[in-house]
């Protein structure tokens, strides 16, 4: 392949969690073929005491522990100095900006990304401010750490990289690509447990199939994600389409 691979640099206390599922299927094949590259940085290697401590009790009291700013900042600085200076860095956090397909596309179009995986009660706020780290959230729920969110984000990005998906045109019709959820899909057998495939899909009329799929995508989006539907209508009104 030509050009540098897309770079993923993950700062974590559990580097053994990577590549995990990203080492299999399309992402794993792309990783082996050099389409993208993965580097894990063990935050604990930057601890300053013999116990390799990375956390401490929170000022003001309260349960749990907080990741120390000096240790995490050292890990971030070393990662940036080792070739990640031009990459955007994000901290995976439930209070961050919600990940969406627009962000995924932007990241796939860039050179790569740096991801900071927190643990415990989170990280000291000062390191996020001092190092300009934006926060990203996978959704409105809490995980034990940022690693699973990082894996999900990387999977979403890697599949958009050139040459990863065998039929690139399939990316244009999946959920969120046009601001709608995807239409229903069917395959053989033509009838299963008394449930037939919609007749229009067997008609051979490509325009009728296209219109049916568009109508189904709109129906499903309107019913299941009214927030997406409202945004879709707003964009339609602006573009006049």
């Amino acid at each position: 392949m030509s050009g540098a691979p897309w770079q993923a640099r993950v700062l974590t206390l559990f580097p053994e969690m990577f590549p995990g599922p990203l080492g299999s299927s399309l992402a794993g094949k792309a990783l082996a073929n050099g389409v993208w590259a993965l580097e894990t940085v063990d935050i604990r290697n930057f601890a300053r005491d013999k116990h390799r401590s990375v956390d401490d009790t929170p000022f003001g009291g309260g349960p749990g522990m907080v990741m120390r700013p000096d240790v995490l900042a050292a890990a971030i600085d070393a990662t940036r100095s080792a070739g990640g200076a031009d990459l955007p860095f994000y901290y995976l956090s439930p209070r961050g900006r919600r990940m969406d397909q627009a962000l995924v596309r932007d990241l796939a179009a860039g050179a790569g990304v740096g991801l900071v995986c927190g643990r415990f009660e989170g990280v000291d706020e000062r390191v996020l401010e001092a190092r300009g780290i934006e926060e990203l959230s996978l959704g409105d729920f809490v995980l034990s750490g940022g690693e699973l969110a990082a894996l999900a984000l990387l999977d979403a990005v890697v599949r958009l990289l050139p040459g990863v998906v065998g039929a690139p045109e399939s990316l244009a019709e999946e959920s969120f690509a046009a601001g709608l959820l995807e239409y229903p899909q069917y395959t053989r057998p033509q009838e299963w447990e008394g449930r037939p495939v919609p007749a229009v899909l067997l008609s051979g009329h490509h325009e009728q199939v296209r219109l049916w799929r568009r109508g189904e995508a709109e129906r499903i989006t309107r019913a299941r994600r009214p927030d997406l539907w409202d945004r879709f209508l707003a964009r339609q009104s602006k573009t006049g389409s």
Side-chain angles (χ1 to χ4, degrees):
M1 61 170 292
S2 61
W6 189 87
Q7 299 288 324
R9 298 173 184 248
V10 182
L11 286 68
T12 173
L13 294 175
F14 297 97
E16 65 274 12
M17 294 181 69
F18 296 86
L22 298 178
S24 303
S25 190
L26 295 176
K29 183 178 179 181
L31 183 62
N33 290 340
V35 176
W36 69 292
L38 173 66
E39 177 190 356
T40 54
V41 177
D42 189 344
I43 298 171
R44 202 173 294 278
N45 288 341
F46 297 87
R48 299 170 179 243
D49 63 356
K50 65 179 181 180
H51 302 293
R52 303 180 75 207
S53 302
V54 297
D55 59 322
D56 210 328
T57 55
F59 284 116
M65 305 289 279
V66 177
M67 292 180 69
R68 293 172 55 111
D70 52 347
V71 176
L72 183 53
I76 294 170
D77 293 346
T79 304
R80 284 175 164 166
S81 297
D86 296 330
L87 301 182
F89 270 67
Y90 296 96
Y91 166 54
L92 287 313
S93 163
R95 71 180 193 178
R97 164 191 170 186
R98 181 81 67 89
M99 298 181 200
D100 57 25
Q101 196 66 13
L103 171 67
V104 168
R105 286 194 295 267
D106 288 345
L107 291 177
V113 70
L115 299 175
V116 179
C117 301
R119 282 275 160 173
F120 317 118
E121 293 300 311
V123 307
D124 189 301
E125 186 75 14
R126 293 170 294 180
V127 72
L128 302 177
E129 297 170 351
R131 296 299 183 268
I133 308 297
E134 184 178 346
E135 297 180 65
L136 283 180
S137 171
L138 191 61
D140 295 340
F141 51 88
V142 179
L143 299 170
S144 299
E147 287 79 12
L148 291 178
L151 288 167
L153 176 60
L154 291 176
D155 181 77
V157 173
V158 167
R159 63 190 299 278
L160 296 185
L161 299 178
V164 175
V165 174
E169 62 272 13
S170 66
L171 299 175
E173 296 189 1
E174 61 189 9
S175 290
F176 308 113
L180 298 169
L181 298 180
E182 190 173 5
Y183 50 78
Q185 298 279 9
Y186 300 87
T187 187
R188 293 183 178 86
Q190 187 171 320
E191 183 172 321
W192 176 76
E193 293 190 353
R195 298 169 182 265
V197 171
V200 65
L201 299 180
L202 309 175
S203 68
H205 296 290
H206 299 302
E207 180 61 13
Q208 291 180 15
V209 170
R210 185 190 69 80
L211 292 174
W212 179 86
R213 286 174 168 171
R214 175 59 177 252
E216 286 296 290
E218 292 181 355
R219 178 185 64 81
I220 291 172
T221 304
R222 186 168 57 247
R224 301 183 185 180
R225 289 291 303 276
D227 58 322
L228 283 180
W229 179 247
D230 289 344
R231 290 202 294 271
F232 173 75
L233 290 180
R235 284 196 296 270
Q236 294 292 97
S237 65
K238 287 182 179 179
T239 61
S241 58

